[in-house]
Amino acid sequence: MTDAAIYEDLQKTLKSPVFLAEPMSKHTSWRIGGPADLFVAPRDEEDLRRALIFARARGLPVTLVGNGSNLLVSDYGIRGMVIKIGPGLSEVQVQGALIKAGAGTPLPRLADRAMRAGLAGFEFLAGIPGTVGGALVMNAGANGCAVGERVRQVTAYDYAGNRLIFNAGELVFKYRKSSLADRKVIVTGVVLEGVPGRVEEIKKRMENYLARRRKTQPLEFPNAGSVFKNPPGDSAGRLIEAAGCKEMRVGNIQVSPRHANFFVNLGGGVARDVLKLIERVQHLVEEKCGVKLVLEVQMLGEF
Ligand SMILES: Cc1cc2nc3c(=O)[nH]c(=O)nc-3n(C[C@H](O)[C@H](O)[C@H](O)COP(=O)(O)OP(=O)(O)OC[C@H]3O[C@@H](n4cnc5c(N)ncnc54)[C@H](O)[C@@H]3O)c2cc1C
């Protein structure tokens, strides 16, 4: 069966629009990535379930993305079906100190909602351009906080289309990783717990964090945040700078002069150049500082 025929069948199965050969560069903050054979952004959980069952029946590999803010997608794209968990699953409800949020909720919107409800503990999310689902899988964090600390319950699907519920005690969150990634599930929602606080104070903390980001991060260029994880007790940015890699460039990808752990796309950059720059920086940091940097960004597709 051709991709076009599968596409037509899938479109008949779902309410949500399906895209054929969708450029992933439209869905990554680096603005990099070749075509996804089939691309679906489910409007609700039922469409997600149907897409999963369809993919399984046809033997199509499934790849999950959120807002693409931590992704390096190959120039050759992604084979099979890409499912984007986004606006279709982005309802937010506040009940006392609990926030129930869909996995597609943008983190800045979650932080804003919490602040307006007088709930502290989410300020650090205001400047992280991912979704709740991506943040849970990556255990996104900043300023000494991480999202895993606030989790009470997670709703997810397995790849066969079964709905699962995990209570906080069943999950493990570590530095930029969580057991949700190991379990290979698709997160659809979460219940988080905040700490009652004063709106003005919460707002002030959020504004301070955002101001610091604007000053220290090259937000005027497409990027994917920190490329490498910080090694224990050190910072990847400091090591990259110490190894003399600041401003190093491959094609149109550059180690940012402002923040060495951010690699910026100066315009028209490609994944193979990001990868070359990653390897070059890793090699020099290991040679000069004796530390093997580990990738924080997730690579998707064929490299
Ligand atoms: C300017 C900038 C600043 C950043 N600052 C920070 C920071 O301070 N701290 C930090 O931790 N990160 C930061 N990041 C990185 C990134 O925003 C976070 O890792 C974010 O949580 C990723 O969410 P996402 O929705 O974009 O996920 P994606 O990048 O789309 O995906 C990341 C991973 O999660 C998986 N995934 C996504 N959604 C789901 C889902 N619903 N179910 C299952 N798996 C899923 C994907 O398959 C992939 O493996 C920054 C990025 C940028 C561009």
Side-chain angles (χ1 to χ4, degrees):
M1 212 172 189
T2 62
D3 278 357
I6 297 175
Y7 160 79
E8 280 187 17
D9 275 5
L10 179 59
Q11 188 59 90
K12 279 185 213 145
T13 313
L14 305 180
K15 303 182 288 283
S16 321
V18 178
F19 298 90
L20 189 62
E22 174 73 355
M24 286 303 294
S25 55
K26 283 165 64 178
H27 303 281
T28 61
S29 58
W30 244 328
R31 298 285 167 257
I32 288 174
D37 290 346
L38 291 165
F39 181 94
V40 184
R43 280 196 188 149
D44 54 25
E45 285 193 26
E46 178 53 22
D47 250 15
L48 168 65
R49 198 181 66 82
R50 286 180 190 215
L52 291 169
I53 290 169
F54 182 97
R56 177 153 286 212
R58 310 285 172 122
L60 297 172
V62 173
T63 304
L64 252 288
V65 302
N67 206 31
S69 63
N70 206 31
L71 296 181
L72 177 59
V73 176
S74 155
D75 300 317
Y76 303 107
I78 304 177
R79 305 290 71 83
M81 185 190 291
V82 170
I83 298 182
K84 175 171 173 148
I85 303 294
L89 292 163
S90 65
E91 207 187 318
V92 181
Q93 288 168 12
V94 181
Q95 286 165 347
L98 299 180
I99 303 182
K100 197 171 166 207
T105 308
L107 298 170
R109 181 145 71 81
L110 179 80
D112 191 65
R113 225 16 233 289
M115 179 266 287
R116 285 188 286 115
L119 289 178
F122 303 98
E123 297 88 326
F124 69 101
L125 294 173
I128 305 183
T131 60
V132 164
L136 288 170
V137 171
M138 298 298 302
N139 193 20
N143 312 103
C145 306
V147 73
E149 297 156 17
R150 304 260 139 239
V151 171
R152 293 299 164 260
Q153 193 176 73
V154 171
T155 312
Y157 279 77
D158 65 18
Y159 281 73
N162 300 305
R163 196 166 192 266
L164 311 165
I165 293 194
F166 301 105
N167 290 316
E170 299 170 77
L171 301 170
V172 182
F173 292 97
K174 293 194 179 157
Y175 173 61
R176 299 299 169 267
K177 73 185 221 190
S178 84
S179 53
L180 288 164
D182 306 329
R183 285 177 187 252
K184 302 212 182 317
V185 292
I186 298 148
V187 178
T188 51
V190 68
V191 178
L192 301 156
E193 187 169 354
V195 182
R198 290 165 59 102
V199 173
E200 277 315 308
E201 286 170 14
I202 299 169
K203 193 171 177 198
K204 188 98 202 122
R205 277 196 295 275
M206 266 168 68
E207 283 168 357
N208 287 343
Y209 289 156
L210 285 170
R212 182 141 27 111
R213 278 179 189 268
R214 280 193 288 270
K215 217 160 122 188
T216 57
Q217 299 182 351
L219 303 178
E220 66 279 27
F221 291 107
N223 69 80
S226 294
V227 172
F228 299 105
K229 294 186 185 188
N230 287 325
D234 209 335
S235 115
R238 189 199 72 76
L239 290 162
I240 296 168
E241 218 173 318
C245 300
K246 215 169 188 181
E247 297 187 46
M248 186 176 273
R249 187 171 164 174
V250 176
N252 286 325
I253 307 296
Q254 187 189 35
V255 176
S256 165
R258 189 151 348 131
H259 189 317
N261 200 18
F262 277 50
F263 293 6
V264 292
N265 181 355
L266 300 173
V270 290
R272 65 177 174 279
D273 287 343
V274 177
L275 194 58
K276 270 190 211 152
L277 192 56
I278 284 172
E279 286 166 357
R280 216 166 272 180
V281 168
Q282 248 171 346
H283 175 77
L284 284 166
V285 169
E286 189 163 18
E287 192 179 76
K288 300 200 172 152
C289 310
V291 177
K292 174 97 182 167
L293 291 177
V294 174
L295 269 189
E296 178 171 323
V297 295
Q298 310 281 301
M299 289 169 61
L300 296 184
E302 306 152 15
F303 279 88

